[in-house]
Amino acid sequence: MLIHIPTVTVYLVLGAFQFVPSLRRGKRGRPSWHKIAGRTLAPTGLLAALSGLWMAVFYDLPPLDGPLLLVLRLVFGSAMVAFIVLGFIAVRRHNYVRHSEWMSRAYAIGIAQGTIVVVTIPWILLVGPVDELTRALLIGASWVLSLVVAEYFIHRRAQGPARTTRPPVLPAQAH
């Protein structure tokens, strides 16, 4: 936990700023904030995911954490590691589009712990307390929901800026 909590905190807070377009552009001859922060974010993201995997395997399971949730943590934690590695490889190859896609997916997995609140509170208010299976499914749904949102934005970026077609304004129509 001494590694996991600080690295997750740095990863999630700094990572949010990686999506700000003005921070991705550097000044001529100087690296961008995005590039400088990325040199911290890739290792902290890896440490966060790897320490999370270690805790999932070696810590005693808390109440309501069963084998299904353990498997989900191993799957999504491993995916986060893989996505960060693939993003790093892509940026080393100067494939910035793939880099952005892989890192967006990794960040979605990391931020999904916050999505759990959005998914779980309505469940508790509408249905009642969770049991072991429900808890695992709600947490799994949080990871899936975060990844679906990331894929939506990845797809939207791939489509380019939205183009609206307006009918041409003729000189006689202009006032």
Side-chain angles (χ1 to χ4, degrees):
M1 291 209 6
L2 293 175
I3 293 172
H4 188 70
I5 292 172
T7 56
V8 165
T9 302
V10 168
Y11 183 71
L12 295 179
V13 171
L14 284 183
F17 292 100
Q18 293 296 78
F19 298 99
V20 177
S22 62
L23 296 177
R24 286 197 300 266
R25 292 185 295 271
K27 303 257 192 260
R28 176 171 253 152
R30 294 174 42 200
S32 67
W33 184 92
H34 179 90
K35 186 174 186 176
I36 294 166
R39 291 179 178 152
T40 299
L41 286 167
T44 58
L46 285 173
L47 283 171
L50 291 169
S51 62
L53 288 167
W54 189 89
M55 290 188 312
V57 172
F58 293 108
Y59 277 28
D60 290 333
L61 292 177
L64 296 180
D65 281 16
L68 177 58
L69 185 52
L70 172 62
V71 169
L72 290 172
R73 284 182 173 138
L74 295 176
V75 167
F76 285 101
S78 298
M80 184 172 165
V81 169
F83 295 164
I84 292 170
V85 169
L86 289 168
F88 177 78
I89 291 168
V91 81
R92 298 293 295 166
R93 293 180 176 167
H94 302 284
N95 189 338
Y96 303 112
V97 171
R98 293 293 170 258
H99 165 75
S100 174
E101 293 171 355
W102 289 120
M103 292 305 197
S104 294
R105 291 176 183 115
Y107 189 77
I109 291 172
I111 201 76
Q113 295 307 306
T115 310
I116 291 170
V117 175
V118 175
V119 171
T120 304
I121 288 179
W123 178 276
I124 292 171
L125 292 174
L126 296 171
V127 179
V130 298
D131 59 12
E132 184 179 297
L133 176 62
T134 305
R135 178 173 156 73
L137 293 175
L138 289 171
I139 292 174
S142 299
W143 277 309
V144 171
L145 178 60
S146 290
L147 281 168
V148 165
V149 170
E151 290 300 329
Y152 167 78
F153 284 104
I154 289 167
H155 178 74
R156 202 172 99 185
R157 270 184 293 195
Q159 300 305 309
R163 293 192 175 98
T164 57
T165 56
R166 296 184 204 173
V169 177
L170 302 174
Q173 294 175 329
H175 297 267

